[in-house]
Amino acid sequence: MRIFDPHIHMTSRTTDDYQAMYDAGVRALVEPSFWLGQPRTSPASFFDYFDALLGWEPFRASQYGIAHHCTLALNPKEANDPRCTPVLDALPRYLEKDGVVAVGEIGYDSMTPAEDHALAAQLQLAADHGLPALVHTPHRDKLAGLHRTIDVIRESNLPPEHVLLDHLNETTVKAATDSGCWAGFSIYPDTKMDEDRMVTILQSHGTEKMIVNSAADWGKSDPLKTRKVADAMLKAGFTEDDVDQVLWRNPVAFYGQSGRLHLDVPAPDPLHEGNSILRGGE
């Protein structure tokens, strides 16, 4: 079984997670830039973070046989902080980098005018750079936020097939799929979605343009949730081909629109697995 986790924050995870993910079948992932849990105080902290997502994290993943790509953006939560908004002016030079396969996470947090501006501006950046967009749907007022998001997408120069609407659930899936965008679901231990609910959605709405991720980060989350969805699908009667479509071919098709996916990574060397990383940090 091959798995592509299309949304996971590995900068928050350990090398043990990389090993467990590889053992579970994960061979590729996308790491979106996101809020780090406390306010950034200047654009420079974003740039250091972006550089790590483009350099250190792909190297760390490669030691465990996993292809690492990223998406870069000013995230919705920090779009409201005037100390952070200059990042919008610096993004174009980062979006030229080979490892960047989309603009994201963008979207809404509290649905403020500042977030309106950041979302529209970054959808335009995606269109300008020939990249798809990973759009975060808000945790509060989800359906209203989704409708507002879709309205902004329709007014943009980015076609809906280049947009992935993430963090969906039962209340938002129909509006998302009707929009022509890709539908993303984050599987969590206690919040968002779980494996069984995800299987029910796939049974009702099919597997086309459906994308499943773990969105694992520094909170209570599980980097093996993609594999657990795959196992739940098989148990529910889906075929191995169905699993491959949802857990591999769909994310490859979506992020492949960037023209920058590189999925050939050598298998880890069991004699040296992780050792080079440990030596480099000593």
Side-chain angles (χ1 to χ4, degrees):
M1 182 184 295
R2 55 182 183 173
I3 295 173
F4 188 137
D5 192 331
H7 183 154
I8 185 168
H9 302 288
M10 291 307 297
T11 192
S12 306
R13 312 300 303 192
T14 68
T15 50
D16 288 348
D17 290 323
Y18 272 126
Q19 183 63 63
M21 290 164 65
Y22 181 87
D23 292 343
V26 176
R27 296 295 181 268
L29 63 85
V30 167
E31 179 164 1
S33 58
F34 80 133
W35 182 56
L36 293 182
Q38 67 179 34
R40 292 179 174 95
T41 58
S42 76
S45 63
F46 281 87
F47 305 149
D48 289 339
Y49 175 47
F50 292 169
D51 287 342
L53 294 184
L54 288 163
W56 170 243
E57 215 52 57
F59 169 74
R60 198 163 71 111
S62 71
Q63 303 299 292
Y64 293 86
I66 297 175
H68 180 290
H69 303 82
C70 68
T71 78
L72 300 182
L74 174 65
N75 71 80
K77 192 174 185 69
E78 291 173 304
N80 296 294
D81 190 335
R83 296 174 299 179
C84 300
T85 51
V87 171
L88 292 172
D89 296 327
L91 269 173
R93 67 186 176 95
Y94 281 97
L95 298 180
E96 297 289 343
K97 304 293 185 181
D98 283 344
V100 181
V101 293
V103 177
E105 298 177 57
I106 59 177
Y108 285 114
D109 179 54
S110 301
M111 289 182 280
T112 65
E115 293 170 21
D116 285 330
H117 171 73
L119 175 56
Q122 292 182 102
L123 288 171
Q124 185 60 52
L125 284 175
D128 291 344
H129 288 80
L131 292 173
L134 173 62
V135 179
H136 163 108
T137 58
H139 301 301
R140 303 175 300 277
D141 299 323
K142 286 194 77 69
L143 188 56
L146 177 66
H147 285 304
R148 186 163 169 176
T149 300
I150 291 171
D151 287 343
V152 176
I153 292 167
R154 286 173 176 159
E155 294 170 359
S156 77
N157 291 318
L158 198 64
E161 59 269 23
H162 287 194
V163 177
L164 170 56
L165 297 170
D166 212 350
H167 307 317
L168 299 176
N169 60 22
E170 294 90 343
T171 67
T172 53
V173 58
K174 186 177 187 305
T177 54
D178 287 349
S179 73
C181 298
W182 293 70
F185 302 85
S186 300
I187 315 301
Y188 261 45
D190 297 325
T191 60
K192 297 185 173 72
M193 295 285 295
D194 64 28
E195 302 95 295
D196 294 333
R197 290 166 59 197
M198 188 67 240
V199 166
T200 299
I201 284 180
L202 292 170
Q203 288 170 331
S204 300
H205 296 272
T207 57
E208 185 178 354
K209 295 177 75 172
M210 298 294 230
I211 289 184
V212 171
N213 64 70
S214 72
D217 56 15
W218 33 253
K220 186 174 181 180
S221 50
D222 182 353
L224 303 184
K225 279 294 188 182
T226 49
R227 176 56 190 256
K228 291 173 183 178
V229 168
D231 292 340
M233 288 178 66
L234 292 173
K235 184 178 179 181
F238 284 96
T239 67
E240 291 184 2
D241 187 68
D242 294 329
V243 171
D244 192 69
Q245 180 179 3
V246 173
L247 274 301
W248 184 267
R249 300 197 308 270
N250 282 355
V252 167
F254 176 74
Y255 287 115
Q257 296 176 108
S258 69
R260 298 175 180 175
L261 276 184
H262 303 287
L263 299 175
D264 295 328
V265 175
D269 181 347
L271 297 178
H272 300 92
E273 203 167 278
N275 291 341
S276 62
I277 295 177
L278 292 174
R279 287 198 299 269
E282 290 174 350

